[in-house]
Amino acid sequence: MALGVSERAEERRHDAQEASFAPNTHRPWHAHSRAYLLAAVGFMGIFLFGYDTGLGGGVIALPSFAKDFNITGTKSQIAALQGNIVAILQGGAFFGALFGAPLEDRLGRKWSLMVGCWIFILGGILQTVTKTSLSLVYGGRFTAGFGVGLMSMVCPTYASEIAPKEIRGRITGMFQVVVVIGVAFSYWINYGVTFMNPARGAIQWRIPIGFQLVPVGIMVLLLPILKESPRWLATKHKDELALKNLAWIRKLPASDPAVQFEFAEIIAAIREEEAATKGASWREIGAKGNPIRFIIAFTIFTLQQWSGQNSISYYAPTIFQSIGLKGAKTGLLASGVYGIVKIVATAIFIVFGVDRFGRKKPLLTGIALMSLFLWIVGAIFKTHIPNPAATTVPPASIGMAVCIYLFVIPYCFSVGPLPWVICSEIFSNRTRHYGLMTAAATQWAWNFGVTKATPLMVIKMPNGGIFFFFAAINIISFTLALLFLPETSGTSLEAMDIIFGSVTKEEREAEIARRAGAIEKAFDDEEKGVTSHVEHHDDKV
């Protein structure tokens, strides 16, 4: 049965690639420099995603923070309070992601990012200026989370819509590279402030919290240079500006055949969707071939969040201390090294692998290796339980730390970047904002649950139990991806409709040919008009 599903999916993918008239140009990287630049500006908001992911777990490990906000009580009470502080950001991000879809449908991608920035700035200020009020910390993190959640669904939408299909995986995969850079920054800044004199008090925790205002401030200054997404403009029937922006991003004249065929494919897909649903974009969620895309988005992010990596990221100092690396400073140092490993591994895959090896094979390979390393960590933990009274780090704890570092390498070429890459490309032009809303909201909802659960899971699932749990989740992920996930690399965004059965290859080819002919005729008429005007002027002279 699985073979039959796989064969049908591959056949549809082949049809989809044939139906796209836009050629695979394989231009040099600098020919796409504008697409890279625009995506990089948009992805500055994702730096905040990563930075705040690692920020909470590190700051609450600082004695100055615990003292100023009176974080005391039993071990379980402190764990629950820490979970609240970290998880409230995820709660805000969930609602921000839901709000993002109608906002970007109305305002577009560019100005929705600007709204997200200013909401985040408000939240960052609230967190930085508070002195002893946990209520302000909660309010600030929720507000900042709202801004992050909004940007987390707008950024990949924008990046996928401006990217040429031959390098789309590389551009949309920048999402995860920027996330892990943000996480690493938070780890190392948290580690750096541990060397400050504790007598200086609140400045120790205010520095890592206040730093988040720097990248968002730079992003606000750079956003005005962004070109609006040609695909969003086309859905709003601003075809002339859409073609102009597409040509500018591709660094080609609007009359170039590659630009004209790509634009014709965009218009053909959008007009087909409008005709099928009488112009009401929300109806398209349930249209033929669309529900399965939303199921994929929900499932892939549910399983991503329960893969085990996020628990290690959020509470890396706590996790490393639980396996025998003692002291807040030691735990933060181990977390900082962990962050560097993630940056290097993710960047190598995104630059050299994602468009070469596709989506499905790296995902399956990575999930299998992640599960293997988690089983090993759990087994070592079970047989060599760390001694809290030990004055040195035992070899078993070093072995577990090494396996955790090894665990994150396959994560960086599978469950980390690929869910964002896949979800940014599988949806149609008129449902992409709803699709990325579903993906981001699912991610943040489970993010909230995992963040709340992890401190208690460390306590309630001792002797390696937490690692066994996540290893089993990854086996489920492998099975579902193997059976039901289609390969989507090398296919235009519009041709995804063929992969998911919304239209046939023949129907799409006919519509593209009709649209391309109309565009070519318009250019010919324009040139003839100019020529006639010049000839008429010459006759007068």
Side-chain angles (χ1 to χ4, degrees), residues 13 60 170 198 205 216 238 251 265 287 318 368 387 401 435 470 517:
R13 178 171 176 251
I60 61 179
R170 192 178 304 163
W205 57 262
V216 73
K238 299 179 180 180
K251 298 177 75 170
E265 190 173 0
T318 304
N387 181 6
F470 290 130

Side-chain angles (χ1 to χ4, degrees), residues 273-289:
E273 294 159 15
E274 289 176 338
T277 56
K278 299 180 181 178
S281 63
W282 63 268
R283 292 181 183 173
E284 291 164 32
I285 295 173
K288 182 181 178 182

Side-chain angles (χ1 to χ4, degrees), residues 18 28 128 153 162 173 180 218 230 285 291 307 322 403 430 498 512:
E18 283 195 340
T128 307
M153 62 85 51
I162 65 170
V180 296
I218 296 173
I285 295 173
S307 67
S322 76
C403 282
R430 287 172 56 79
I498 299 173
I512 293 173

